[in-house]
Amino acid sequence: MCRDHTSRRLTAPSQKDCVVESVHFLPEADAERVGWKALARVVSDIAAMGGTPTACVITLILRPDTSVECSTLISGIQRCATDF
């Protein structure tokens, strides 16, 4: 929660960010590292606003021919959530 100094009430910060293949990571990148990065980008923005993240939505954009192991991707997301 963050304090809105203009109205003196607490607000919940939110942030969204896409992680795009060939822009934010290479196609051959390890899926666990991609998952970690996808969450870390948003968590760091919320922390910079003085907030504490309580939930997340991950947006990952891949080429149609890309194959990714979802459990490995989720493992990276979970590792990042534990780290922060």
Side-chain angles (χ1 to χ4, degrees):
M1 302 298 266
C2 295
R3 181 149 315 269
D4 177 347
H5 295 289
T6 59
S7 66
R8 304 214 186 282
R9 62 189 172 106
L10 294 176
T11 61
S14 65
Q15 178 63 25
K16 60 183 183 275
D17 201 353
C18 292
V19 178
V20 182
E21 181 180 9
S22 298
V23 175
H24 301 112
F25 65 94
L26 298 174
E28 63 271 7
D30 177 65
E32 185 172 359
R33 291 181 63 133
V34 172
W36 194 94
K37 181 176 187 169
L39 183 58
R41 291 169 57 97
V42 177
V43 168
S44 65
D45 289 347
I46 291 174
M49 291 185 266
T52 302
T54 57
C56 71
V57 174
I58 302 295
T59 305
L60 182 63
I61 300 175
L62 305 170
R63 296 182 321 215
D65 62 334
T66 297
S67 174
V68 66
E69 181 61 44
C70 288
S71 62
T72 307
L73 184 71
I74 291 169
S75 175
I77 294 167
Q78 290 173 326
R79 190 170 55 85
C80 182
T82 300
D83 289 350
F84 291 100

XYZ file of all heavy atoms in Angstrom:
630
model
N 0.830 -1.178 0.000
C 0.000 0.000 0.000
C 0.877 1.245 0.000
O 1.926 1.257 0.609
C -0.906 0.017 1.222
C -1.817 -1.203 1.351
S -2.940 -1.361 -0.014
C -4.349 -0.537 0.601
N 0.415 2.257 -0.665
C 1.114 3.541 -0.711
C 0.179 4.630 -0.207
O -1.021 4.554 -0.393
C 1.519 3.879 -2.147
S 2.697 2.768 -2.861
N 0.748 5.628 0.395
C -0.060 6.746 0.857
C -0.192 7.752 -0.282
O 0.768 8.170 -0.888
C 0.570 7.417 2.066
C -0.290 8.560 2.545
C -0.260 8.842 4.012
N -0.343 7.743 4.913
C -1.480 7.246 5.418
N -2.634 7.731 5.044
N -1.447 6.278 6.292
N -1.430 8.099 -0.583
C -1.730 9.144 -1.552
C -1.704 10.456 -0.770
O -2.608 10.746 0.009
C -3.106 8.891 -2.172
C -3.527 9.982 -3.142
O -2.896 11.046 -3.166
O -4.506 9.758 -3.875
N -0.647 11.233 -0.952
C -0.448 12.424 -0.138
C -1.445 13.542 -0.441
O -1.630 14.437 0.367
C 0.988 12.934 -0.284
C 1.980 11.969 0.262
N 2.127 11.738 1.606
C 2.844 11.132 -0.357
C 3.053 10.832 1.809
N 3.501 10.439 0.623
N -2.109 13.467 -1.582
C -3.077 14.518 -1.886
C -4.400 14.291 -1.154
O -5.054 15.227 -0.755
C -3.330 14.618 -3.401
O -3.811 13.351 -3.878
C -2.058 15.004 -4.129
N -4.771 13.017 -0.952
C -6.044 12.755 -0.276
C -5.858 12.089 1.084
O -6.822 11.831 1.781
C -6.935 11.872 -1.153
O -6.358 10.598 -1.290
N -4.604 11.772 1.429
C -4.263 11.156 2.704
C -4.889 9.769 2.903
O -5.200 9.361 3.992
C -4.628 12.059 3.875
C -4.001 13.426 3.793
C -3.664 13.934 5.162
N -3.197 15.284 5.181
C -1.963 15.676 4.848
N -1.091 14.804 4.450
N -1.619 16.939 4.917
N -5.087 9.057 1.814
C -5.614 7.701 1.933
C -4.613 6.711 1.346
O -3.710 7.090 0.610
C -6.966 7.568 1.240
C -6.909 7.825 -0.239
C -8.317 7.886 -0.838
N -8.212 8.318 -2.211
C -8.367 7.519 -3.255
N -8.673 6.264 -3.091
N -8.240 7.996 -4.466
N -4.793 5.451 1.693
C -3.908 4.416 1.183
C -4.430 3.902 -0.154
O -5.631 3.729 -0.339
C -3.807 3.249 2.171
C -3.130 3.571 3.496
C -3.181 2.363 4.409
C -1.696 3.993 3.270
N -3.519 3.670 -1.082
C -3.883 3.114 -2.379
C -3.005 1.906 -2.656
O -1.905 1.787 -2.129
C -3.684 4.156 -3.506
O -2.315 4.537 -3.547
C -4.554 5.373 -3.305
N -3.480 1.014 -3.480
C -2.705 -0.163 -3.876
C -2.059 0.125 -5.230
O -2.755 0.338 -6.218
C -3.603 -1.385 -3.970
N -0.727 0.150 -5.283
C -0.071 0.417 -6.567
C -0.218 -0.780 -7.493
O -0.303 -1.926 -7.045
C 1.390 0.630 -6.179
C 1.561 -0.153 -4.932
C 0.232 -0.072 -4.225
N -0.278 -0.513 -8.764
C -0.302 -1.599 -9.737
C 0.654 -1.237 -10.875
O 0.924 -0.065 -11.131
C -1.713 -1.847 -10.265
O -2.167 -0.723 -10.988
N 1.128 -2.255 -11.519
C 2.087 -2.054 -12.593
C 1.941 -3.198 -13.571
O 1.709 -4.335 -13.170
C 3.510 -2.009 -12.020
C 4.609 -1.842 -13.028
C 4.538 -0.534 -13.772
O 3.993 0.437 -13.272
N 5.063 -0.496 -14.965
N 2.072 -2.912 -14.836
C 2.067 -3.968 -15.830
C 3.229 -3.737 -16.792
O 3.646 -2.604 -17.021
C 0.741 -4.022 -16.575
C 0.397 -2.743 -17.306
C -0.955 -2.864 -17.951
C -1.297 -1.648 -18.750
N -1.869 -0.564 -18.043
N 3.735 -4.817 -17.298
C 4.875 -4.736 -18.196
C 4.942 -6.030 -18.992
O 4.816 -7.109 -18.430
C 6.164 -4.549 -17.392
C 7.292 -3.954 -18.199
O 7.132 -3.793 -19.422
O 8.327 -3.646 -17.614
N 5.104 -5.936 -20.285
C 5.257 -7.119 -21.132
C 6.729 -7.495 -21.221
O 7.591 -6.632 -21.219
C 4.763 -6.843 -22.550
S 3.011 -6.588 -22.688
N 6.980 -8.790 -21.312
C 8.315 -9.284 -21.599
C 8.226 -9.935 -22.976
O 7.468 -10.888 -23.173
C 8.786 -10.286 -20.521
C 10.161 -10.825 -20.862
C 8.813 -9.611 -19.160
N 8.979 -9.383 -23.932
C 8.842 -9.759 -25.332
C 10.099 -10.482 -25.822
O 11.217 -9.969 -25.674
C 8.586 -8.498 -26.206
C 8.392 -8.874 -27.667
C 7.391 -7.716 -25.677
N 9.872 -11.653 -26.401
C 10.974 -12.414 -26.978
C 11.664 -11.592 -28.064
O 11.015 -10.874 -28.826
C 10.435 -13.720 -27.575
C 11.502 -14.592 -28.185
C 10.950 -15.867 -28.776
O 9.715 -16.024 -28.868
O 11.756 -16.713 -29.144
N 12.976 -11.665 -28.124
C 13.851 -10.957 -29.070
C 13.957 -9.465 -28.774
O 14.674 -8.758 -29.461
C 13.431 -11.181 -30.529
O 13.537 -12.555 -30.853
N 13.214 -8.985 -27.767
C 13.353 -7.604 -27.321
C 13.958 -7.593 -25.918
O 14.966 -6.953 -25.667
C 11.995 -6.857 -27.320
C 12.135 -5.463 -26.736
C 11.415 -6.804 -28.724
N 13.325 -8.324 -24.993
C 13.780 -8.370 -23.601
C 14.577 -9.628 -23.268
O 15.218 -9.690 -22.228
C 12.585 -8.265 -22.660
C 11.811 -7.003 -22.859
N 10.543 -6.984 -23.368
C 12.144 -5.709 -22.639
C 10.118 -5.740 -23.449
N 11.071 -4.941 -23.015
N 14.506 -10.623 -24.105
C 15.296 -11.843 -23.919
C 15.472 -12.536 -25.272
O 14.656 -12.369 -26.175
C 14.648 -12.791 -22.903
C 13.314 -13.343 -23.337
C 13.234 -14.568 -23.990
C 12.148 -12.652 -23.095
C 12.018 -15.081 -24.397
C 10.926 -13.159 -23.493
C 10.864 -14.376 -24.148
N 16.556 -13.266 -25.399
C 16.842 -13.991 -26.639
C 16.025 -15.275 -26.707
O 15.702 -15.861 -25.672
C 18.331 -14.315 -26.720
C 19.262 -13.102 -26.763
C 20.721 -13.554 -26.694
C 19.003 -12.282 -28.023
N 15.685 -15.737 -27.917
C 14.889 -16.962 -28.050
C 15.502 -18.169 -27.343
O 14.784 -19.033 -26.846
C 14.830 -17.189 -29.561
C 15.036 -15.836 -30.154
C 15.962 -15.117 -29.209
N 16.818 -18.233 -27.256
C 17.473 -19.385 -26.618
C 17.657 -19.211 -25.111
O 18.258 -20.058 -24.451
C 18.824 -19.670 -27.285
C 19.828 -18.554 -27.162
C 19.760 -17.512 -28.283
O 18.836 -17.550 -29.121
O 20.629 -16.638 -28.293
N 17.114 -18.153 -24.544
C 17.267 -17.888 -23.110
C 16.608 -18.989 -22.286
O 15.596 -19.578 -22.679
C 16.659 -16.543 -22.751
N 17.183 -19.252 -21.116
C 16.647 -20.222 -20.184
C 15.277 -19.753 -19.678
O 15.129 -18.606 -19.235
C 17.628 -20.386 -19.013
C 17.118 -21.318 -17.964
O 16.957 -22.516 -18.272
O 16.871 -20.854 -16.832
N 14.276 -20.633 -19.732
C 12.909 -20.263 -19.352
C 12.815 -19.811 -17.897
O 12.030 -18.922 -17.566
C 11.966 -21.435 -19.602
N 13.613 -20.400 -17.011
C 13.570 -19.985 -15.604
C 14.028 -18.537 -15.453
O 13.438 -17.756 -14.707
C 14.422 -20.906 -14.740
C 14.281 -20.565 -13.269
C 14.958 -21.569 -12.351
O 15.530 -22.548 -12.839
O 14.909 -21.339 -11.134
N 15.069 -18.167 -16.182
C 15.554 -16.779 -16.117
C 14.535 -15.809 -16.706
O 14.364 -14.692 -16.222
C 16.893 -16.652 -16.842
C 18.015 -17.360 -16.111
C 19.309 -17.197 -16.853
N 19.638 -15.771 -16.889
C 20.820 -15.274 -16.598
N 21.796 -16.073 -16.257
N 21.045 -13.984 -16.653
N 13.845 -16.232 -17.753
C 12.809 -15.384 -18.365
C 11.672 -15.173 -17.362
O 11.175 -14.052 -17.196
C 12.286 -16.014 -19.675
C 11.089 -15.231 -20.205
C 13.395 -16.068 -20.721
N 11.253 -16.233 -16.679
C 10.201 -16.108 -15.663
C 10.610 -15.174 -14.539
O 9.830 -14.324 -14.106
N 11.859 -15.322 -14.071
C 12.364 -14.456 -13.003
C 12.325 -13.000 -13.446
O 11.855 -12.123 -12.733
C 13.791 -14.861 -12.632
C 14.275 -14.273 -11.347
C 14.228 -14.848 -10.121
C 14.888 -12.989 -11.162
N 14.776 -14.003 -9.175
C 15.183 -12.850 -9.794
C 15.205 -11.938 -12.015
C 15.780 -11.715 -9.270
C 15.794 -10.802 -11.495
C 16.083 -10.704 -10.132
N 12.805 -12.746 -14.668
C 12.848 -11.378 -15.189
C 11.448 -10.796 -15.352
O 11.214 -9.619 -15.050
C 13.585 -11.357 -16.536
C 13.690 -9.979 -17.145
C 14.505 -10.003 -18.416
C 14.734 -8.591 -18.920
N 15.728 -8.545 -19.992
N 10.508 -11.626 -15.818
C 9.139 -11.141 -16.037
C 8.532 -10.598 -14.750
O 7.871 -9.557 -14.750
C 8.278 -12.270 -16.612
N 8.759 -11.294 -13.640
C 8.222 -10.811 -12.365
C 9.078 -9.687 -11.788
O 8.545 -8.697 -11.272
C 8.107 -11.957 -11.357
C 7.485 -11.567 -10.016
C 6.084 -10.995 -10.198
C 7.460 -12.754 -9.081
N 10.378 -9.798 -11.885
C 11.275 -8.800 -11.283
C 11.047 -7.400 -11.857
O 11.143 -6.407 -11.132
C 12.732 -9.217 -11.475
N 10.739 -7.320 -13.126
C 10.504 -6.009 -13.751
C 9.349 -5.279 -13.070
O 9.412 -4.081 -12.806
C 10.208 -6.168 -15.244
C 11.407 -6.611 -16.055
C 11.010 -7.020 -17.467
N 10.323 -5.969 -18.191
C 10.902 -5.139 -19.050
N 12.192 -5.246 -19.297
N 10.214 -4.214 -19.675
N 8.286 -6.001 -12.777
C 7.103 -5.397 -12.173
C 7.304 -5.157 -10.675
O 6.947 -4.107 -10.147
C 5.866 -6.285 -12.431
C 4.649 -5.725 -11.748
C 5.623 -6.415 -13.921
N 7.893 -6.139 -9.993
C 8.113 -6.018 -8.546
C 8.993 -4.807 -8.240
O 8.727 -4.057 -7.300
C 8.740 -7.317 -7.985
C 9.248 -7.126 -6.567
C 7.725 -8.450 -8.032
N 10.022 -4.601 -9.038
C 10.916 -3.468 -8.778
C 10.195 -2.139 -8.983
O 10.441 -1.183 -8.244
C 12.165 -3.559 -9.662
O 11.833 -3.418 -11.022
N 9.291 -2.075 -9.956
C 8.526 -0.839 -10.168
C 7.604 -0.554 -8.981
O 7.483 0.587 -8.530
C 7.696 -0.926 -11.452
C 8.536 -0.863 -12.713
O 9.730 -0.515 -12.626
O 7.993 -1.177 -13.793
N 6.955 -1.590 -8.469
C 6.064 -1.409 -7.313
C 6.870 -0.998 -6.082
O 6.473 -0.115 -5.324
C 5.234 -2.678 -7.057
C 4.228 -2.860 -8.205
C 4.513 -2.601 -5.716
C 3.457 -4.147 -8.153
N 8.018 -1.632 -5.888
C 8.877 -1.276 -4.751
C 9.325 0.181 -4.854
O 9.396 0.887 -3.846
C 10.081 -2.205 -4.692
N 9.606 0.636 -6.062
C 10.024 2.025 -6.256
C 8.905 3.008 -5.888
O 9.177 4.150 -5.531
C 10.454 2.248 -7.706
N 7.653 2.551 -5.958
C 6.516 3.384 -5.563
C 6.241 3.275 -4.065
O 5.288 3.857 -3.559
C 5.267 2.966 -6.337
C 5.306 3.280 -7.804
S 3.733 2.892 -8.596
C 4.054 1.224 -9.175
N 7.058 2.474 -3.365
C 6.866 2.301 -1.930
C 5.833 1.254 -1.582
O 5.370 1.178 -0.453
N 5.472 0.438 -2.559
C 4.441 -0.568 -2.336
C 5.004 -1.953 -2.061
O 6.202 -2.192 -2.197
N 4.122 -2.844 -1.671
C 4.451 -4.243 -1.458
C 3.547 -5.068 -2.363
O 2.321 -5.038 -2.203
C 4.207 -4.649 0.008
O 5.000 -3.807 0.844
C 4.570 -6.094 0.240
N 4.122 -5.799 -3.322
C 3.286 -6.573 -4.244
C 2.588 -7.729 -3.512
O 3.168 -8.366 -2.640
C 4.278 -7.100 -5.281
C 5.627 -6.917 -4.698
C 5.537 -5.902 -3.620
N 1.330 -7.957 -3.867
C 0.563 -9.043 -3.259
C 0.023 -10.022 -4.296
O -0.414 -11.106 -3.946
C -0.617 -8.492 -2.445
O -1.435 -7.700 -3.298
C -0.124 -7.640 -1.279
N 0.031 -9.646 -5.554
C -0.454 -10.506 -6.632
C 0.242 -10.080 -7.919
O 0.812 -8.989 -7.992
C -1.963 -10.374 -6.784
N 0.188 -10.958 -8.921
C 0.835 -10.589 -10.178
C 0.101 -11.198 -11.362
O -0.601 -12.198 -11.241
C 2.295 -11.038 -10.192
S 2.516 -12.821 -10.334
N 0.274 -10.562 -12.501
C -0.147 -11.076 -13.795
C 1.077 -10.959 -14.686
O 1.663 -9.883 -14.796
C -1.321 -10.268 -14.395
C -1.635 -10.742 -15.798
C -2.539 -10.358 -13.500
N 1.485 -12.055 -15.287
C 2.671 -12.069 -16.141
C 2.230 -12.008 -17.594
O 1.365 -12.782 -18.024
C 3.499 -13.356 -15.912
C 3.922 -13.481 -14.456
C 4.681 -13.416 -16.864
C 4.872 -12.426 -13.971
N 2.804 -11.086 -18.359
C 2.534 -10.981 -19.786
C 3.817 -11.314 -20.531
O 4.814 -10.604 -20.411
C 2.070 -9.561 -20.169
O 0.952 -9.216 -19.366
C 1.701 -9.490 -21.632
N 3.778 -12.400 -21.276
C 4.940 -12.897 -21.999
C 4.547 -13.038 -23.460
O 3.562 -13.710 -23.781
C 5.361 -14.249 -21.417
C 6.572 -14.926 -21.995
C 7.826 -14.092 -21.772
C 6.746 -16.304 -21.364
N 5.291 -12.395 -24.347
C 4.988 -12.450 -25.776
C 6.068 -13.262 -26.472
O 7.250 -12.916 -26.407
C 4.884 -11.031 -26.368
C 3.769 -10.259 -25.650
C 4.649 -11.099 -27.868
C 3.650 -8.814 -26.059
N 5.634 -14.356 -27.114
C 6.543 -15.269 -27.803
C 6.164 -15.384 -29.271
O 5.002 -15.188 -29.639
C 6.466 -16.666 -27.168
C 6.721 -16.762 -25.672
C 6.366 -18.158 -25.174
C 8.166 -16.443 -25.368
N 7.146 -15.757 -30.085
C 6.853 -16.057 -31.488
C 6.027 -17.344 -31.542
O 6.136 -18.190 -30.661
C 8.143 -16.254 -32.274
C 9.015 -15.024 -32.361
C 10.237 -15.313 -33.193
N 10.719 -16.678 -32.885
C 11.983 -17.031 -32.864
N 12.917 -16.169 -33.137
N 12.331 -18.264 -32.599
N 5.222 -17.523 -32.575
C 4.392 -18.732 -32.673
C 5.194 -20.041 -32.683
O 4.709 -21.065 -32.220
C 3.649 -18.558 -34.000
C 3.685 -17.103 -34.275
C 4.952 -16.585 -33.663
N 6.413 -20.004 -33.188
C 7.212 -21.226 -33.276
C 8.076 -21.480 -32.041
O 8.863 -22.415 -32.013
C 8.092 -21.199 -34.528
C 9.096 -20.053 -34.528
O 8.838 -19.028 -33.866
O 10.141 -20.184 -35.194
N 7.914 -20.663 -31.000
C 8.712 -20.832 -29.788
C 8.088 -21.891 -28.886
O 6.883 -21.892 -28.651
C 8.821 -19.507 -29.014
O 9.496 -18.566 -29.838
C 9.587 -19.675 -27.718
N 8.923 -22.764 -28.388
C 8.483 -23.785 -27.443
C 9.084 -23.441 -26.083
O 10.277 -23.165 -25.975
C 8.973 -25.154 -27.897
O 8.669 -26.125 -26.941
N 8.252 -23.427 -25.054
C 8.741 -23.105 -23.718
C 8.140 -24.093 -22.716
O 6.981 -24.489 -22.841
C 8.417 -21.646 -23.322
C 6.928 -21.412 -23.193
C 9.125 -21.256 -22.056
N 8.947 -24.511 -21.770
C 8.497 -25.406 -20.713
C 7.869 -24.538 -19.614
O 8.574 -23.831 -18.887
C 9.672 -26.208 -20.168
C 9.316 -27.186 -19.094
C 8.333 -28.250 -19.553
O 8.510 -28.794 -20.662
O 7.386 -28.512 -18.802
N 6.539 -24.595 -19.510
C 5.828 -23.720 -18.568
C 6.245 -23.953 -17.126
O 6.349 -23.000 -16.354
C 4.325 -23.888 -18.724
S 3.696 -23.152 -20.237
N 6.501 -25.192 -16.747
C 6.877 -25.444 -15.349
C 8.212 -24.788 -15.015
O 8.415 -24.306 -13.900
C 6.936 -26.947 -15.062
O 7.912 -27.574 -15.862
N 9.113 -24.728 -15.989
C 10.402 -24.067 -15.776
C 10.209 -22.554 -15.691
O 10.816 -21.890 -14.851
C 11.391 -24.417 -16.907
O 11.463 -25.836 -17.029
C 12.765 -23.863 -16.638
N 9.352 -22.023 -16.525
C 9.028 -20.594 -16.495
C 8.426 -20.229 -15.136
O 8.832 -19.260 -14.497
C 8.057 -20.267 -17.621
C 7.664 -18.824 -17.823
C 8.835 -18.033 -18.385
C 6.477 -18.724 -18.752
N 7.486 -21.020 -14.670
C 6.838 -20.778 -13.379
C 7.837 -20.910 -12.236
O 7.779 -20.155 -11.257
C 5.634 -21.717 -13.204
C 4.542 -21.314 -14.182
C 5.117 -21.702 -11.773
C 3.410 -22.301 -14.316
N 8.783 -21.815 -12.369
C 9.819 -21.964 -11.345
C 10.606 -20.660 -11.180
O 10.919 -20.248 -10.063
C 10.757 -23.111 -11.725
O 11.820 -23.202 -10.830
N 10.909 -20.000 -12.287
C 11.608 -18.718 -12.231
C 10.767 -17.634 -11.584
O 11.261 -16.821 -10.802
N 9.476 -17.626 -11.889
C 8.562 -16.657 -11.276
C 8.500 -16.885 -9.765
O 8.583 -15.943 -8.971
C 7.160 -16.757 -11.915
C 7.224 -16.321 -13.384
C 6.136 -15.940 -11.134
C 5.989 -16.676 -14.191
N 8.377 -18.144 -9.361
C 8.320 -18.467 -7.934
C 9.616 -18.101 -7.220
O 9.591 -17.596 -6.096
C 8.022 -19.954 -7.738
C 6.614 -20.322 -8.128
C 6.371 -21.816 -8.100
O 7.263 -22.613 -8.397
N 5.155 -22.210 -7.768
N 10.748 -18.341 -7.874
C 12.041 -18.002 -7.268
C 12.142 -16.502 -7.054
O 12.579 -16.029 -5.999
C 13.194 -18.509 -8.134
C 14.543 -18.406 -7.478
C 15.629 -19.148 -8.254
N 15.738 -18.747 -9.637
C 16.454 -17.701 -10.074
N 17.096 -16.932 -9.213
N 16.511 -17.404 -11.353
N 11.710 -15.713 -8.027
C 11.735 -14.256 -7.898
C 10.806 -13.806 -6.771
O 11.174 -12.954 -5.978
C 11.328 -13.602 -9.212
S 11.391 -11.805 -9.166
N 9.617 -14.392 -6.704
C 8.664 -14.018 -5.643
C 9.241 -14.313 -4.272
O 9.069 -13.529 -3.325
C 7.343 -14.765 -5.846
N 9.966 -15.412 -4.146
C 10.597 -15.760 -2.877
C 11.733 -14.804 -2.556
O 11.900 -14.378 -1.406
C 11.142 -17.205 -2.932
O 10.048 -18.084 -3.193
C 11.808 -17.602 -1.637
N 12.508 -14.419 -3.569
C 13.640 -13.510 -3.369
C 13.174 -12.137 -2.900
O 13.867 -11.465 -2.135
C 14.451 -13.342 -4.659
C 15.244 -14.581 -5.028
O 15.331 -15.517 -4.196
O 15.771 -14.625 -6.158
N 12.001 -11.688 -3.373
C 11.527 -10.357 -3.033
C 10.372 -10.416 -2.065
O 9.838 -9.504 -1.624
C 11.138 -9.582 -4.287
C 12.319 -9.227 -5.138
C 12.628 -9.970 -6.268
C 13.145 -8.164 -4.799
C 13.731 -9.648 -7.047
C 14.236 -7.839 -5.564
C 14.519 -8.581 -6.703
